[in-house]
Amino acid sequence: LAKTTQPISMDSYEGQEVNITCSHNNIATNDYITWYQQFPSQGPRFIIQGYKTKVTNEVASLFIPADRKSSTLSLPRVSLSDTAVYYCLVGDGMDSSYKLIFGSGTRLLVRP
Amino acid sequence: DVKVTQSSRYLVKRTGEKVFLECVQDMDHENMFWYRQDPGLGLRLIYFSYDVKMKEKGDIPEGYSVSREKKERFSLILESASTNQTSMYLCASSPRGTDTEAFFGQGTRLTVV
């Protein structure tokens, strides 16, 4: 299972763009990259998933370079409500032994 | 609206009691997971199941067992509750396939006294 490494915490201000990078040097060919967001006292919530290049949805963008050894979650114009913990996961969902293993995540604090 | 439902939001049990935490999903997902989350330790996987009657240990299975008799239901069992099992317990489900979006329940805050 590919291990991921993320910064422990990040600070930002309202209205700024936030980029959180995740390192996954041992990612396998069939692995997808998935990001989750967690607020206090709630379960994690899916944000975005990608395999290569760039994926964008109404919440975020995910940038994946050609070697796929890292990925960057981009949150445009953050607000106070984006203060949360963000987790990066990699894995192959077709594999029946695929486990959802969460690392330590990145604690994002958005200040006024 | 997809849903993962955990049987209790808050639970208080005595040391030595047998405790059942129930989780039901209505999305016909193959995979189901049980986690505990403690301050400073993140989400730790206890057990997961990729099919009915199938189960695999996660990172911290000691003191726990699971049961999956039906596809939609995944139960976590504390055979003899101890105070160090006081925690927030989260259940999740996900489909098998390239789209691995997982859905989480609201969590059960268990206190063992």
Side-chain angles (χ1 to χ4, degrees), chain B residues 2-109:
Chain B
V2 296
K3 194 178 289 184
V4 177
T5 303
Q6 295 183 227
S7 51
S8 304
R9 188 76 175 94
Y10 298 95
L11 210 52
V12 179
K13 295 292 182 181
R14 295 194 180 278
T15 301
E17 275 193 79
K18 189 169 186 176
V19 181
F20 293 86
L21 301 183
E22 306 285 348
C23 176
V24 177
Q25 52 101 358
D26 65 359
M27 295 163 282
D28 201 37
H29 285 167
E30 290 83 6
N31 302 325
M32 295 189 75
F33 308 83
W34 273 108
Y35 299 87
R36 63 177 285 176
Q37 187 166 32
D38 303 286
L41 293 177
L43 278 150
R44 293 183 290 169
L45 181 65
I46 304 171
Y47 268 97
F48 78 103
S49 168
Y50 56 87
D51 205 344
V52 176
K53 297 191 187 294
M54 306 305 290
K55 60 186 178 185
E56 291 211 17
K57 294 179 180 179
D59 296 330
I60 51 164
E62 297 78 20
Y64 303 94
S65 62
V66 290
S67 172
R68 193 164 181 205
E69 296 297 317
K70 293 185 178 181
K71 191 174 186 180
E72 67 270 20
R73 188 179 296 269
F74 192 36
S75 303
L76 180 70
I77 304 155
L78 287 66
E79 296 291 341
S80 177
S82 64
T83 54
N84 63 13
Q85 291 179 310
T86 291
S87 185
M88 169 69 89
Y89 289 87
L90 288 157
C91 173
S93 73
S94 72
R96 185 172 311 134
T98 53
D99 175 7
T100 56
E101 178 177 352
F103 296 85
F104 281 79
Q106 77 278 25
T108 296
R109 189 166 293 281

Side-chain angles (χ1 to χ4, degrees), chain A residues 44-94:
Chain A
R45 182 175 73 104
F46 173 92
I47 302 176
I48 197 165
Q49 181 183 64
Y51 184 79
K52 61 181 179 180
T53 63
K54 178 184 173 182
V55 180
T56 297
N57 62 22
E58 64 277 5
V59 176
S61 294
L62 178 60
F63 298 91
I64 305 168
D67 66 6
R68 302 197 334 119
K69 293 185 184 298
S70 67
S71 59
T72 299
L73 174 73
S74 181
L75 304 172
R77 296 180 299 281
V78 293
S79 64
L80 297 177
S81 62
D82 292 316
T83 292
V85 180
Y86 293 82
Y87 298 94
C88 162
L89 284 73
V90 295
D92 175 9
M94 295 299 293

